[in-house]
Amino acid sequence: NVINMRPPFEGCGDYNAYTQLDFSDPTGLDPTGLQCTFPQVTFLEILTAHHPGALFTMLTRPSDDWESSVWRWKEPLSPASFYTRFRQCNLPYLPLGLDHNVSLTQIYDYHTAAVRTYFARRTELRFFEGDIRINATGVGLAQALGLADPAAVAARCWRRSCSLG
């Protein structure tokens, strides 16, 4: 939609949340010509302009833990293909000349720093960041969403489904 100058979520349904917005077309057959895009990064300014009252969330963990998780993925999302996706995306916050000497943890760290900086400069926007390893993150997220009885919601809904290590 954004590439075609339409509101970001036009025609996408009337949902309360949109997550995992990235797109990858390794075939190169996408009519836009994009091989990859992460709208939540590349088009963050457009998303926040169209949805200034939305709660933007960033759930994190230490970058080494994240990279370990990526290395456990199976095809088609192997670390090599994942790394290639990042390179094809030409993400705006990565240093120019990204080469194979940049690790996945560095990419992750660049990303989280860029998002933090963006929202720190735009204090009128709603932003929540939490570490997925910490149970209190579920409570904080439920509070940020304005849910009644955040502790009960977190106890019922905030469960880890992957292991670290």
Side-chain angles (χ1 to χ4, degrees):
N1 281 344
V2 171
I3 293 165
N4 294 312
M5 307 298 281
R6 292 193 306 258
F9 298 118
E10 181 179 281
C12 294
D14 186 23
Y15 297 100
N16 291 323
Y18 293 92
T19 63
Q20 197 66 31
L21 301 174
D22 54 294
F23 167 78
S24 179
D25 178 28
T27 67
L29 299 176
D30 181 73
T32 64
L34 290 174
Q35 288 184 310
C36 175
T37 186
F38 283 72
Q40 66 271 32
V41 176
T42 306
F43 304 127
L44 186 56
E45 287 192 39
I46 294 169
L47 289 170
T48 57
H50 279 270
H51 303 281
L55 174 66
F56 291 84
T57 63
M58 182 168 69
L59 299 176
T60 63
R61 57 181 150 171
S63 54
D64 289 338
D65 290 349
W66 176 79
E67 183 175 21
S68 293
S69 176
V70 170
W71 283 110
R72 290 191 302 270
W73 287 357
K74 305 293 184 237
E75 286 292 344
L77 293 175
S78 71
S81 67
F82 192 74
Y83 186 80
T84 299
R85 285 176 66 194
F86 275 113
R87 292 178 54 77
Q88 291 172 336
C89 285
N90 193 23
L91 297 172
Y93 55 79
L94 293 179
L96 293 175
L98 175 66
D99 61 28
H100 292 286
N101 295 322
V102 175
S103 71
L104 286 172
T105 56
Q106 288 172 303
I107 292 170
Y108 180 90
D109 290 338
Y110 285 127
H111 168 69
T112 54
V115 171
R116 286 180 187 124
T117 299
Y118 180 86
F119 283 101
R121 292 181 179 156
R122 291 158 182 87
T123 56
E124 75 281 5
L125 298 172
R126 296 175 57 217
F127 176 67
F128 174 82
E129 178 181 353
D131 186 324
I132 65 169
R133 303 166 308 148
I134 300 171
N135 287 336
T137 295
V139 174
L141 182 56
Q143 287 172 333
L145 290 168
L147 301 177
D149 199 356
V153 170
R156 191 173 65 250
C157 301
W158 191 258
R159 295 187 178 100
R160 288 178 38 207
S161 61
C162 63
S163 63
L164 300 174

